[in-house]
């Protein structure tokens, strides 16, 4: 069973997404039937394979247990302890992209952005189609003022999940903050259209408000400064 938690940060309306995975792993039962020497040889080989598999399952269960404890700590607000549990889980399951995403999620929340970026990058090496990791890495990059990198991550996330409305808000907010007002308007318009289709009134109203803000900024940006206005008045006309 997995659980996805969406967090909306209090500043600049950025959605931070994390999959927090709980796992229930059942241990395999082992049965060996000896019928003849050939069968006995096969049974022994099968038993060794099963024992090896069983050892792996025990180790994996331990990683899952640490991961689940980390999630419990997140729910209680014990974020540093959560990171310790996720780190222990990764020692036992170093190829688990979801645990990297979990730890990175908490690191962004704590402002440890470079460490979070490293976690999300590793998660994407292991699972290149994880739109959550792209989104979350984009937010971490935005925290570092790496607007271009953030936009690239949000764009990649949208390629993977084009109907997920918060991604348009996230990219639009970065574009607004970096001065790309027209790009921001386009993202908010897409968010408004999706919200209307999905009958999400709250997000639809938020998108309309964002469009208004971006249009106002675009208008101000295109208006001449007092110096430019004075020069225009002094320019002779034919």
């Amino acid at each position: 069973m997995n659980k996805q938690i969406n967090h909306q940060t209090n500043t600049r309306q950025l959605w931070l997404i994390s999959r927090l995975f709980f796992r229930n792993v059942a241990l395999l039962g082992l049965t060996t039937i000896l019928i003849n020497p050939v069968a006995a040889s096969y049974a022994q080989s099968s038993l060794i394979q099963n024992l090896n598999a069983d050892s792996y399952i025990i180790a994996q269960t331990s990683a899952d247990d640490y991961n689940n404890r980390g999630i419990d700590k997140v729910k209680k607000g014990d974020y540093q302890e959560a990171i310790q549990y996720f780190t222990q889980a990764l020692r036992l399951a170093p190829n688990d992209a979801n645990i990297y995403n979990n730890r990175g999620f908490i690191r962004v929340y704590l402002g440890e952005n470079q460490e979070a970026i490293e976690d999300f990058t590793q998660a994407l090496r292991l699972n290149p189609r994880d739109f959550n990791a792209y989104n979350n890495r984009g937010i971490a990059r935005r925290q570092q003022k790496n607007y271009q990198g953030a936009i690239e991550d949000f764009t990649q996330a949208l390629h993977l999940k084009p109907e997920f409305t918060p991604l348009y808000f996230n990219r639009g907010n970065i574009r607004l903050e970096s001065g790309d007002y027209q790009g921001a308007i386009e993202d908010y318009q897409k968010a408004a259209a999706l919200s209307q289709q999905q009958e999400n009134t709250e997000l639809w109203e938020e998108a309309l408000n964002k469009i208004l803000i971006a249009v106002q900024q675009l208008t101000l940006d295109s208006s001449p400064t007092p110096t430019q206005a004075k020069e225009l008045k002094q320019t002779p006309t034919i």
Side-chain angles (χ1 to χ4, degrees):
M1 179 178 70
N2 65 69
K3 183 174 183 180
Q4 178 174 307
I5 297 179
N6 293 343
H7 283 272
Q8 180 180 344
T9 60
N10 292 327
T11 59
R12 303 189 186 279
Q13 304 287 326
L14 291 179
W15 272 263
L16 181 62
I17 309 165
S18 179
R19 289 178 178 175
L20 298 182
F21 286 85
F22 290 96
R23 292 189 181 81
N24 296 315
V25 180
L27 296 179
L28 297 179
L30 302 179
T31 303
T32 303
I33 302 175
L34 303 182
I35 300 175
N36 55 47
V38 175
S41 176
Y42 174 80
Q44 184 179 20
S45 175
S46 178
L47 178 61
I48 292 172
Q49 291 175 5
N50 282 335
L51 284 173
N52 289 338
D54 205 32
S55 297
Y56 169 76
I57 290 170
I58 291 170
Q60 185 65 28
T61 303
S62 297
D64 295 337
D65 184 53
Y66 281 118
N67 180 65
N68 294 345
R69 290 180 189 177
I71 294 169
D72 288 338
K73 291 297 182 181
V74 172
K75 291 181 176 180
K76 295 175 182 177
D78 299 330
Y79 301 123
Q80 291 295 348
E81 288 191 50
I83 287 178
Q84 292 175 13
Y85 279 122
F86 292 140
T87 300
Q88 185 60 38
L90 285 168
R91 291 194 183 102
L92 297 172
N95 294 322
D96 194 316
N98 299 317
I99 301 175
Y100 278 106
N101 205 21
N102 287 351
R103 188 173 68 177
F105 165 74
I106 299 304
R107 283 175 161 172
V108 172
Y109 198 81
L110 293 174
E112 299 173 0
N113 295 299
Q114 186 55 45
E115 293 84 352
I117 288 170
E118 292 170 4
D119 277 344
F120 296 135
T121 299
Q122 182 61 23
L124 288 167
R125 289 193 188 103
L126 296 167
N127 181 10
R129 297 192 61 79
D130 186 355
F131 83 95
N132 294 284
Y134 276 114
N135 177 78
N136 294 346
R137 190 174 70 177
I139 292 175
R141 284 177 164 171
R142 175 263 164 193
Q143 300 291 81
Q144 294 184 327
K145 306 298 182 183
N146 180 3
Y147 297 125
Q148 186 58 42
I151 288 172
E152 289 173 0
D153 276 341
F154 293 138
T155 300
Q156 188 60 42
L158 281 166
H159 286 323
L160 297 170
K161 199 79 169 178
E163 303 302 311
F164 192 63
T165 308
L167 292 173
Y168 289 99
F169 278 103
N170 282 355
R171 190 174 67 178
N173 291 339
I174 297 299
R175 285 175 164 171
L176 182 65
E177 186 175 348
S178 62
D180 180 10
Y181 304 125
Q182 186 58 49
I185 291 169
E186 293 171 3
D187 278 339
Y188 296 142
Q189 287 175 334
K190 182 63 176 178
L194 283 173
S195 300
Q196 193 170 34
Q197 291 173 13
Q198 297 161 1
E199 299 182 350
N200 189 325
T201 304
E202 183 179 357
L203 284 185
W204 179 71
E205 291 177 350
E206 175 68 17
L208 294 184
N209 288 333
K210 288 289 189 176
I211 291 171
L212 179 60
I213 292 171
V215 168
Q216 290 173 340
Q217 291 295 327
L218 181 62
T219 302
L220 289 173
D221 191 58
S222 59
S223 299
T225 65
T227 301
Q228 291 172 331
K230 184 177 180 180
E231 290 175 351
L232 287 172
K233 288 181 180 179
Q234 294 174 348
T235 301
T237 58
I238 298 175

